[in-house]
Amino acid sequence: VLGNLRGGETTWHSMYRHLLDENQADLALMIGVGGNTTLSPYARAKYVWEFPEYDDWADAIDLIDSNNATSWRTTLKPHVMKKSGVLGGVKGHT
């Protein structure tokens, strides 16, 4: 699971039964720091990676390519429609 833990326990137990158990799969969480660790996905997860939340996710995208971290701002960002959802989390985009 990448992002936020949403949906509630009914949703999580459905995922366990129909996806994880059915396929004998492990659960990995990649979520923001400070989540509610009493939720069942934490107990079920084999792997948990927590990351800081950003006010502007453009800063996180900059970390992807350390050699030329901000090139995407001039080559990609101007060409993405602001309400497309493609750069959701990047200031000015939804």
Side-chain angles (χ1 to χ4, degrees):
V1 175
L2 175 66
N4 297 316
L5 297 179
R6 299 181 189 173
E9 291 299 325
T10 301
T11 301
W12 293 116
H13 288 284
S14 178
M15 181 185 70
Y16 305 151
R17 180 175 174 205
H18 297 290
L19 180 65
L20 300 179
D21 296 342
E22 183 73 23
N23 294 292
Q24 299 176 351
D26 294 327
L27 176 62
L29 303 177
M30 186 172 181
I31 54 180
V33 173
N36 182 351
T37 59
T38 64
L39 296 174
S40 68
Y42 277 95
R44 179 73 188 245
K46 185 171 182 178
Y47 306 98
V48 178
W49 298 287
E50 293 183 321
F51 57 90
E53 296 284 352
Y54 291 86
D55 289 329
D56 183 355
W57 279 89
D59 298 333
I61 297 171
D62 288 344
L63 299 173
I64 294 171
D65 179 8
S66 60
N67 293 324
N68 194 10
T70 60
S71 67
W72 72 275
R73 291 177 185 257
T74 55
T75 58
L76 174 67
K77 189 177 175 189
H79 303 289
V80 175
M81 292 175 22
K82 295 201 180 284
K83 294 187 178 186
S84 68
V86 172
L87 293 176
V90 171
K91 289 213 185 233
H93 291 266
T94 57

